Each structure stands twice: as C-alpha cells, then as structure tokens.
C-alpha cells in the first residue's frame, strides 16, 4: 500500500475506532516516531465503574503501573492494579494486566513471548471476559544487524467455551515512521462488551511523544478515559522514558 494510503487508513482507524467509539476499552500501540528517531509504545485505560475509574498511571523510570487514586474506594484490585510497562535490556513489554510481569519473567528465563502467554487466560470477569492484550518490542539484535521485531497478542474467550482462551499472536513487519499497530480489548460498547477481533489496526504516531499523548487523549471518549501513557524508546535500544496523563490530575 502506498505510504499516503497507509497514513490515510491509520487516520481513518483513529477516527472510527477511537474518536467515534465510546468504549474501545484498554488499548496499546507499538510503532515509530514520525522522525524515525525513536520507537513509541502507547497504552491507555478506560473505565465505566467506580472501581475502574479510581485509577491513575504512575511512571517510575522506564516502568509504569496503575494505582488507586483513593485506596479506600478500591473495591477489588484484581485486573485493575498491575504493571503495564516493563523492560529488560532491549526488550520492551506493554500489556493490560499482570501478564506484563509474566512475559518479562519468561523472557528473562530464556523463553518466548508466546511461551509466557501460554500460561495465562483471558480475564475472569464474566460476562465480559475481558481480553488480555500484550505487546513486545524486541531490539536485541540491533548490534548484529538483526532487524527489530514486534509481537502483538490477544487472549480472548473462545466462542464455543468462554472458560477457554483463543490465543492470537501477530508478528507484523515493522511499521514505517509515523505509524504504529494497535489493538484494543473491545470492539465497542455493549452488554456484554464485544471483544476486539481481526488484525491489529494501523494507527498514526505523528509528532513527538507529547503530540502523540495529546492526540490519543483527545481521541478517547471524555466520559470514559482514565489514563494514557506514551513511552519513547531509543531507536537502537536503551532505557525508555514515559509521559503520562491522568483524568484525575486534570
């Protein structure tokens, strides 16, 4: 697809899947900055219940986690309090749950992204059975001329038996500068919430990290957005840096 058409498709996806969608749920994007000088990971959370909305992002160096804004109002930490961004040398993980830690520990032990996720299931919050979405940027081979790799996964309740999980991992070719590939937990609002299906979406990453943060914050439904983070990663590896925006801080 010509670059102009790909950029137009990405803008269209941002419009349809985020701006016009009141509840795509949690989402992640992995791609390259517009100037090609850095990798970017974008992650956001949304919420409809008081328990989900009572959260914010806290960045600690190159890592990022969720925490309760008011611990006294946290009715259940399951599936809402977790590390969302973690890294090992030249390995950068982002996810919507405590599988972030599972993936990092599996990679540290010499396993693969897929092996780590094989030990996990979709979330157990019936009837929604929220999918677990995860992403990996692997820059370990850059010193030896090996192309970086991206992996994006969704663990989704199986249609025939929601007690089991469909496991879909995509290992796409690298996105060009100014574009990323993204996935969300849900296709949109509903009761129960319909899970995301299909290939990861092309999405825009125009401008620097601050511009990307502002673009995605504005695209998310103002009544349901909770927190958003953009992580900038040096193009050849090294520690990342994170910008966050929280609804409770506004």
């Amino acid at each position: 697809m010509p670059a102009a058409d790909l950029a137009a498709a990405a803008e269209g996806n941002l419009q349809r899947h985020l701006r016009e969608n009141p509840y795509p749920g949690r989402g992640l994007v992995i791609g390259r900055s517009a100037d090609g000088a850095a990798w970017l990971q974008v992650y956001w959370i949304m919420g409809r219940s008081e328990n989900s909305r009572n959260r914010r992002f806290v960045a600690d160096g190159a890592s990022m986690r969720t925490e309760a804004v008011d611990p006294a109002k946290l009715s259940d930490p399951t599936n809402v309090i977790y590390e969302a961004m973690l890294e090992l040398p030249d390995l950068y993980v982002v996810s919507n749950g405590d599988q972030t830690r599972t993936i990092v520990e599996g990679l540290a032990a010499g396993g693969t992204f897929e092996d780590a996720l094989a030990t996990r299931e979709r979330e157990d919050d019936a009837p929604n059975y929220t999918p677990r979405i995860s992403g990996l940027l692997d820059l370990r081979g850059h010193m030896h001329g090996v192309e970086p790799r991206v992996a994006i996964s969704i663990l989704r309740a199986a249609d025939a038996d929601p007690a089991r999980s469909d496991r879909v991992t995509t290992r796409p070719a690298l996105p060009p500068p100014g574009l990323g590939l993204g996935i969300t937990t849900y296709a949109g609002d509903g009761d129960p919430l319909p899970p995301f299906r299909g290939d990861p979406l092309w999405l825009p990453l125009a401008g620097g990290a601050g511009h990307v943060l502002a673009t995605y914050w504005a695209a998310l439904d103002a009544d349901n957005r909770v927190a958003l983070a953009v992580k900038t990663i040096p193009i050849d590896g090294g520690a990342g840096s994170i910008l966050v925006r929280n609804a409770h801080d506004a």
Side-chain angles (χ1 to χ4, degrees), residues 108-201:
T112 67
F113 181 72
E114 290 86 353
D115 288 341
L117 287 169
T119 68
R120 304 304 304 268
E121 304 289 341
R122 80 289 176 273
E123 293 183 5
D124 56 1
D125 57 337
N128 292 315
Y129 296 109
T130 299
R132 292 188 185 273
I133 57 172
S134 309
L136 170 67
L137 174 64
D138 183 349
L139 302 181
R140 289 176 294 181
H142 72 90
M143 294 292 291
H144 307 287
V146 178
E147 187 176 68
R149 294 182 292 175
V150 170
I152 297 174
S153 167
I154 182 168
L155 306 183
R156 185 177 54 227
D159 291 337
D161 180 3
R164 304 181 68 184
S165 298
D166 288 334
R167 303 170 185 279
V168 182
T169 298
T170 304
R171 286 188 172 267
L174 296 176
L179 293 172
L181 288 163
I183 191 171
T184 60
T185 51
Y186 308 122
D189 208 351
D191 190 15
L193 289 159
F196 181 94
R197 296 180 183 277
D199 293 333
L201 301 172

